[in-house]
PDB file of all heavy atoms in Angstrom:
ATOM      1  N   GLY A   1     -18.632  22.546  -5.875  1.00 63.00           N
ATOM      2  CA  GLY A   1     -20.002  22.084  -6.072  1.00 63.00           C
ATOM      3  C   GLY A   1     -20.223  20.630  -5.713  1.00 63.00           C
ATOM      4  O   GLY A   1     -21.360  20.159  -5.706  1.00 63.00           O
ATOM      5  N   LEU A   2     -19.147  19.898  -5.442  1.00 62.00           N
ATOM      6  CA  LEU A   2     -19.279  18.470  -5.154  1.00 62.00           C
ATOM      7  C   LEU A   2     -18.990  18.219  -3.679  1.00 62.00           C
ATOM      8  O   LEU A   2     -17.898  17.820  -3.296  1.00 62.00           O
ATOM      9  CB  LEU A   2     -18.314  17.673  -6.051  1.00 62.00           C
ATOM     10  CG  LEU A   2     -18.543  17.831  -7.561  1.00 62.00           C
ATOM     11  CD1 LEU A   2     -17.435  17.153  -8.336  1.00 62.00           C
ATOM     12  CD2 LEU A   2     -19.893  17.289  -7.963  1.00 62.00           C
ATOM     13  N   SER A   3     -19.985  18.444  -2.846  1.00 61.00           N
ATOM     14  CA  SER A   3     -19.774  18.390  -1.398  1.00 61.00           C
ATOM     15  C   SER A   3     -19.388  16.995  -0.913  1.00 61.00           C
ATOM     16  O   SER A   3     -18.531  16.848  -0.047  1.00 61.00           O
ATOM     17  CB  SER A   3     -21.035  18.859  -0.678  1.00 61.00           C
ATOM     18  OG  SER A   3     -22.155  18.075  -1.060  1.00 61.00           O
ATOM     19  N   ARG A   4     -20.000  15.947  -1.467  1.00 68.00           N
ATOM     20  CA  ARG A   4     -19.680  14.588  -1.006  1.00 68.00           C
ATOM     21  C   ARG A   4     -18.254  14.204  -1.387  1.00 68.00           C
ATOM     22  O   ARG A   4     -17.527  13.598  -0.603  1.00 68.00           O
ATOM     23  CB  ARG A   4     -20.671  13.585  -1.599  1.00 68.00           C
ATOM     24  CG  ARG A   4     -22.076  13.701  -1.035  1.00 68.00           C
ATOM     25  CD  ARG A   4     -22.999  12.643  -1.639  1.00 68.00           C
ATOM     26  NE  ARG A   4     -24.342  12.739  -1.098  1.00 68.00           N
ATOM     27  CZ  ARG A   4     -25.327  13.433  -1.654  1.00 68.00           C
ATOM     28  NH1 ARG A   4     -25.094  14.115  -2.768  1.00 68.00           N
ATOM     29  NH2 ARG A   4     -26.524  13.469  -1.108  1.00 68.00           N
ATOM     30  N   ALA A   5     -17.843  14.572  -2.595  1.00 67.00           N
ATOM     31  CA  ALA A   5     -16.481  14.274  -3.043  1.00 67.00           C
ATOM     32  C   ALA A   5     -15.464  15.024  -2.188  1.00 67.00           C
ATOM     33  O   ALA A   5     -14.441  14.466  -1.777  1.00 67.00           O
ATOM     34  CB  ALA A   5     -16.314  14.647  -4.516  1.00 67.00           C
ATOM     35  N   LEU A   6     -15.741  16.280  -1.902  1.00 72.00           N
ATOM     36  CA  LEU A   6     -14.821  17.086  -1.106  1.00 72.00           C
ATOM     37  C   LEU A   6     -14.729  16.564   0.329  1.00 72.00           C
ATOM     38  O   LEU A   6     -13.643  16.470   0.902  1.00 72.00           O
ATOM     39  CB  LEU A   6     -15.282  18.545  -1.120  1.00 72.00           C
ATOM     40  CG  LEU A   6     -14.291  19.589  -0.618  1.00 72.00           C
ATOM     41  CD1 LEU A   6     -12.972  19.503  -1.363  1.00 72.00           C
ATOM     42  CD2 LEU A   6     -14.885  20.982  -0.744  1.00 72.00           C
ATOM     43  N   THR A   7     -15.859  16.198   0.895  1.00 74.00           N
ATOM     44  CA  THR A   7     -15.870  15.647   2.253  1.00 74.00           C
ATOM     45  C   THR A   7     -15.071  14.350   2.325  1.00 74.00           C
ATOM     46  O   THR A   7     -14.272  14.147   3.245  1.00 74.00           O
ATOM     47  CB  THR A   7     -17.317  15.387   2.720  1.00 74.00           C
ATOM     48  OG1 THR A   7     -18.027  16.632   2.700  1.00 74.00           O
ATOM     49  CG2 THR A   7     -17.358  14.807   4.115  1.00 74.00           C
ATOM     50  N   ALA A   8     -15.285  13.470   1.349  1.00 75.00           N
ATOM     51  CA  ALA A   8     -14.555  12.204   1.324  1.00 75.00           C
ATOM     52  C   ALA A   8     -13.063  12.434   1.145  1.00 75.00           C
ATOM     53  O   ALA A   8     -12.230  11.752   1.753  1.00 75.00           O
ATOM     54  CB  ALA A   8     -15.091  11.312   0.202  1.00 75.00           C
ATOM     55  N   ALA A   9     -12.696  13.405   0.313  1.00 79.00           N
ATOM     56  CA  ALA A   9     -11.289  13.704   0.069  1.00 79.00           C
ATOM     57  C   ALA A   9     -10.606  14.206   1.340  1.00 79.00           C
ATOM     58  O   ALA A   9      -9.508  13.763   1.693  1.00 79.00           O
ATOM     59  CB  ALA A   9     -11.153  14.744  -1.045  1.00 79.00           C
ATOM     60  N   VAL A  10     -11.252  15.123   2.043  1.00 80.00           N
ATOM     61  CA  VAL A  10     -10.663  15.665   3.272  1.00 80.00           C
ATOM     62  C   VAL A  10     -10.553  14.577   4.343  1.00 80.00           C
ATOM     63  O   VAL A  10      -9.525  14.465   5.031  1.00 80.00           O
ATOM     64  CB  VAL A  10     -11.495  16.863   3.783  1.00 80.00           C
ATOM     65  CG1 VAL A  10     -11.018  17.297   5.157  1.00 80.00           C
ATOM     66  CG2 VAL A  10     -11.398  18.027   2.796  1.00 80.00           C
ATOM     67  N   ALA A  11     -11.585  13.746   4.461  1.00 81.00           N
ATOM     68  CA  ALA A  11     -11.547  12.665   5.453  1.00 81.00           C
ATOM     69  C   ALA A  11     -10.416  11.690   5.160  1.00 81.00           C
ATOM     70  O   ALA A  11      -9.675  11.276   6.066  1.00 81.00           O
ATOM     71  CB  ALA A  11     -12.888  11.929   5.472  1.00 81.00           C
ATOM     72  N   ALA A  12     -10.251  11.321   3.884  1.00 81.00           N
ATOM     73  CA  ALA A  12      -9.171  10.413   3.504  1.00 81.00           C
ATOM     74  C   ALA A  12      -7.813  11.043   3.765  1.00 81.00           C
ATOM     75  O   ALA A  12      -6.871  10.376   4.213  1.00 81.00           O
ATOM     76  CB  ALA A  12      -9.306  10.027   2.025  1.00 81.00           C
ATOM     77  N   GLY A  13      -7.699  12.343   3.501  1.00 84.00           N
ATOM     78  CA  GLY A  13      -6.432  13.030   3.719  1.00 84.00           C
ATOM     79  C   GLY A  13      -6.042  13.096   5.182  1.00 84.00           C
ATOM     80  O   GLY A  13      -4.889  12.856   5.544  1.00 84.00           O
ATOM     81  N   VAL A  14      -6.992  13.407   6.043  1.00 84.00           N
ATOM     82  CA  VAL A  14      -6.704  13.478   7.479  1.00 84.00           C
ATOM     83  C   VAL A  14      -6.303  12.105   8.008  1.00 84.00           C
ATOM     84  O   VAL A  14      -5.351  11.967   8.782  1.00 84.00           O
ATOM     85  CB  VAL A  14      -7.927  14.028   8.250  1.00 84.00           C
ATOM     86  CG1 VAL A  14      -7.731  13.885   9.750  1.00 84.00           C
ATOM     87  CG2 VAL A  14      -8.153  15.495   7.886  1.00 84.00           C
ATOM     88  N   PHE A  15      -7.019  11.073   7.565  1.00 84.00           N
ATOM     89  CA  PHE A  15      -6.673   9.712   7.997  1.00 84.00           C
ATOM     90  C   PHE A  15      -5.258   9.342   7.559  1.00 84.00           C
ATOM     91  O   PHE A  15      -4.485   8.761   8.318  1.00 84.00           O
ATOM     92  CB  PHE A  15      -7.679   8.712   7.429  1.00 84.00           C
ATOM     93  CG  PHE A  15      -7.350   7.284   7.752  1.00 84.00           C
ATOM     94  CD1 PHE A  15      -7.595   6.767   9.018  1.00 84.00           C
ATOM     95  CD2 PHE A  15      -6.770   6.455   6.796  1.00 84.00           C
ATOM     96  CE1 PHE A  15      -7.281   5.451   9.331  1.00 84.00           C
ATOM     97  CE2 PHE A  15      -6.447   5.138   7.099  1.00 84.00           C
ATOM     98  CZ  PHE A  15      -6.706   4.639   8.366  1.00 84.00           C
ATOM     99  N   ALA A  16      -4.902   9.695   6.316  1.00 85.00           N
ATOM    100  CA  ALA A  16      -3.572   9.360   5.799  1.00 85.00           C
ATOM    101  C   ALA A  16      -2.475  10.078   6.583  1.00 85.00           C
ATOM    102  O   ALA A  16      -1.408   9.518   6.839  1.00 85.00           O
ATOM    103  CB  ALA A  16      -3.485   9.713   4.317  1.00 85.00           C
ATOM    104  N   LEU A  17      -2.735  11.326   6.969  1.00 87.00           N
ATOM    105  CA  LEU A  17      -1.713  12.116   7.663  1.00 87.00           C
ATOM    106  C   LEU A  17      -1.328  11.547   9.022  1.00 87.00           C
ATOM    107  O   LEU A  17      -0.216  11.758   9.482  1.00 87.00           O
ATOM    108  CB  LEU A  17      -2.196  13.557   7.846  1.00 87.00           C
ATOM    109  CG  LEU A  17      -1.958  14.503   6.678  1.00 87.00           C
ATOM    110  CD1 LEU A  17      -2.553  15.864   6.987  1.00 87.00           C
ATOM    111  CD2 LEU A  17      -0.483  14.635   6.354  1.00 87.00           C
ATOM    112  N   VAL A  18      -2.231  10.851   9.681  1.00 85.00           N
ATOM    113  CA  VAL A  18      -1.937  10.351  11.025  1.00 85.00           C
ATOM    114  C   VAL A  18      -1.605   8.864  11.029  1.00 85.00           C
ATOM    115  O   VAL A  18      -1.607   8.225  12.072  1.00 85.00           O
ATOM    116  CB  VAL A  18      -3.130  10.625  11.981  1.00 85.00           C
ATOM    117  CG1 VAL A  18      -3.344  12.116  12.133  1.00 85.00           C
ATOM    118  CG2 VAL A  18      -4.407   9.944  11.489  1.00 85.00           C
ATOM    119  N   THR A  19      -1.284   8.320   9.852  1.00 88.00           N
ATOM    120  CA  THR A  19      -0.970   6.897   9.735  1.00 88.00           C
ATOM    121  C   THR A  19       0.515   6.733   9.426  1.00 88.00           C
ATOM    122  O   THR A  19       0.991   7.167   8.370  1.00 88.00           O
ATOM    123  CB  THR A  19      -1.812   6.250   8.615  1.00 88.00           C
ATOM    124  OG1 THR A  19      -3.195   6.514   8.860  1.00 88.00           O
ATOM    125  CG2 THR A  19      -1.590   4.750   8.551  1.00 88.00           C
ATOM    126  N   SER A  20       1.237   6.081  10.317  1.00 91.00           N
ATOM    127  CA  SER A  20       2.688   5.965  10.149  1.00 91.00           C
ATOM    128  C   SER A  20       3.066   5.138   8.922  1.00 91.00           C
ATOM    129  O   SER A  20       4.128   5.364   8.322  1.00 91.00           O
ATOM    130  CB  SER A  20       3.320   5.361  11.405  1.00 91.00           C
ATOM    131  OG  SER A  20       2.801   4.074  11.674  1.00 91.00           O
ATOM    132  N   ASP A  21       2.240   4.182   8.533  1.00 92.00           N
ATOM    133  CA  ASP A  21       2.534   3.418   7.308  1.00 92.00           C
ATOM    134  C   ASP A  21       2.540   4.329   6.081  1.00 92.00           C
ATOM    135  O   ASP A  21       3.351   4.144   5.165  1.00 92.00           O
ATOM    136  CB  ASP A  21       1.499   2.303   7.108  1.00 92.00           C
ATOM    137  CG  ASP A  21       1.663   1.171   8.111  1.00 92.00           C
ATOM    138  OD1 ASP A  21       2.766   1.040   8.686  1.00 92.00           O
ATOM    139  OD2 ASP A  21       0.692   0.421   8.328  1.00 92.00           O
ATOM    140  N   ILE A  22       1.641   5.300   6.054  1.00 93.00           N
ATOM    141  CA  ILE A  22       1.605   6.272   4.954  1.00 93.00           C
ATOM    142  C   ILE A  22       2.873   7.112   4.967  1.00 93.00           C
ATOM    143  O   ILE A  22       3.437   7.423   3.916  1.00 93.00           O
ATOM    144  CB  ILE A  22       0.361   7.174   5.061  1.00 93.00           C
ATOM    145  CG1 ILE A  22      -0.926   6.338   5.009  1.00 93.00           C
ATOM    146  CG2 ILE A  22       0.354   8.237   3.976  1.00 93.00           C
ATOM    147  CD1 ILE A  22      -1.115   5.559   3.742  1.00 93.00           C
ATOM    148  N   TRP A  23       3.359   7.472   6.151  1.00 94.00           N
ATOM    149  CA  TRP A  23       4.609   8.231   6.245  1.00 94.00           C
ATOM    150  C   TRP A  23       5.752   7.463   5.583  1.00 94.00           C
ATOM    151  O   TRP A  23       6.521   8.026   4.811  1.00 94.00           O
ATOM    152  CB  TRP A  23       4.972   8.491   7.699  1.00 94.00           C
ATOM    153  CG  TRP A  23       3.963   9.237   8.518  1.00 94.00           C
ATOM    154  CD1 TRP A  23       2.827   9.851   8.061  1.00 94.00           C
ATOM    155  CD2 TRP A  23       4.003   9.440   9.929  1.00 94.00           C
ATOM    156  NE1 TRP A  23       2.160  10.419   9.117  1.00 94.00           N
ATOM    157  CE2 TRP A  23       2.853  10.193  10.281  1.00 94.00           C
ATOM    158  CE3 TRP A  23       4.889   9.065  10.930  1.00 94.00           C
ATOM    159  CZ2 TRP A  23       2.571  10.562  11.586  1.00 94.00           C
ATOM    160  CZ3 TRP A  23       4.623   9.446  12.240  1.00 94.00           C
ATOM    161  CH2 TRP A  23       3.471  10.189  12.567  1.00 94.00           C
ATOM    162  N   ARG A  24       5.842   6.165   5.914  1.00 95.00           N
ATOM    163  CA  ARG A  24       6.941   5.353   5.384  1.00 95.00           C
ATOM    164  C   ARG A  24       6.799   5.140   3.878  1.00 95.00           C
ATOM    165  O   ARG A  24       7.797   5.148   3.147  1.00 95.00           O
ATOM    166  CB  ARG A  24       7.009   4.017   6.128  1.00 95.00           C
ATOM    167  CG  ARG A  24       7.531   4.157   7.564  1.00 95.00           C
ATOM    168  CD  ARG A  24       7.817   2.807   8.209  1.00 95.00           C
ATOM    169  NE  ARG A  24       6.584   2.087   8.515  1.00 95.00           N
ATOM    170  CZ  ARG A  24       5.921   2.203   9.672  1.00 95.00           C
ATOM    171  NH1 ARG A  24       6.371   3.015  10.613  1.00 95.00           N
ATOM    172  NH2 ARG A  24       4.831   1.503   9.883  1.00 95.00           N
TER     173      ARG A  24
END
């Protein structure tokens, strides 16, 4: 029911996955 929260969560997750600093 919280579309803005879900959208922000998915966007943050995708960004984190492709960031090598997050990997380390």
Side-chain angles (χ1 to χ4, degrees):
L2 300 173
S3 57
R4 290 182 180 93
L6 194 55
T7 300
V10 172
V14 170
F15 176 77
L17 275 177
V18 297
T19 306
S20 60
D21 289 339
I22 300 299
W23 302 351
R24 288 190 289 271

